[in-house]
Amino acid sequence: MSSDHPGPRALARAQTIADIKRIGREHLATQGAAALSLRAVARDLGVVSSAVYRYVSSRDELLTMLVVDGYNALGDAVDAALTDAPDDPATRFRITARAVRAWAVAEPAWYGLLFGTPVPGYAAPAADTIAPGVRVIAILLGIIDNAYRCGLLTGPAIDPVISAQTAADFTTIREQFGLAVPDSVIASALTAWTTLFGAVNFDVFDMYGRDTFGNRAEIFDLIVDQLMLLLGFVVPRSDHVDRSVR
């Protein structure tokens, strides 16, 4: 058999791991990440608990699998939303923000594993999670950097005061992501990033209060508008938002 095609044993193993992760995600939704148990996963899989350990060595390894898959699923959702998007950076920023919210609303338990309350006793291994974990921030930074390079970013009204230590951190970020933006724009991008996910958290975890806002999508768009003003995006007329249908 060609080495390019896995054999029956490899296919069966891959399917079993996929089933374990699927059941793990179901348990996230019904019981929460802190209660995730390989014994319970084995029960729903229809095998003895010792059999699951041939595929996943511990609860923490399963959590890491779900974290990695979650970051990649979110990144894939953003990539798909941008596939046919216009080149205009302001429009792409808005589409990215909406795609993050849409995925989070559709997958609240999975999103909660990534950006919610830390799971007691679990620390995600950086070697496995950093690369998928920065996919969305890399997309956002790329959009902001492209706007800056194209002269479509006016920048902040007042340059922030930045210490030497933070400036060094910003230089590391600039080098890591290949950015041309100055420190002032990185500071605004940092605010936009944290505020964007904070807004999604408020929505997904119902932190506004159940009856505070009747149209959460509009509230989110208003926040994105403010972030775009903060960043200094030059917004085209075609980017005016019709919120009546959202």
Side-chain angles (χ1 to χ4, degrees), residues 150-181:
C150 294
L152 298 174
L153 204 66
T154 61
I158 300 175
D159 284 344
V161 177
I162 299 173
S163 69
Q165 180 179 5
T166 297
D169 292 337
F170 284 0
T171 296
T172 299
I173 292 171
R174 190 180 294 109
E175 293 172 352
Q176 179 183 356
F177 292 98
L179 307 176
V181 294

Side-chain angles (χ1 to χ4, degrees), residues 132-197:
V134 300
R135 282 183 60 182
V136 172
I137 184 57
I139 291 169
L140 287 168
L141 287 173
I143 291 170
I144 294 167
D145 188 65
N146 182 49
Y148 177 80
R149 291 173 188 263
C150 294
L152 298 174
L153 204 66
T154 61
I158 300 175
D159 284 344
V161 177
I162 299 173
S163 69
Q165 180 179 5
T166 297
D169 292 337
F170 284 0
T171 296
T172 299
I173 292 171
R174 190 180 294 109
E175 293 172 352
Q176 179 183 356
F177 292 98
L179 307 176
V181 294
D183 286 352
S184 59
V185 175
I186 293 180
S188 295
L190 175 61
T191 302
W193 172 40
T194 55
T195 303
L196 170 64
F197 280 90

Side-chain angles (χ1 to χ4, degrees), residues 115-126:
F115 300 104
T117 303
V119 181
Y122 171 73

Side-chain angles (χ1 to χ4, degrees), residues 25 66-80 99 103 107 110 114 132 135-136:
R25 283 177 52 201
L66 297 177
V67 167
V68 170
D69 284 358
Y71 280 134
N72 281 324
L74 175 57
D76 289 347
V78 172
D79 285 343
W103 186 84
E107 298 283 357
W110 214 359
L114 306 180
R135 282 183 60 182
V136 172

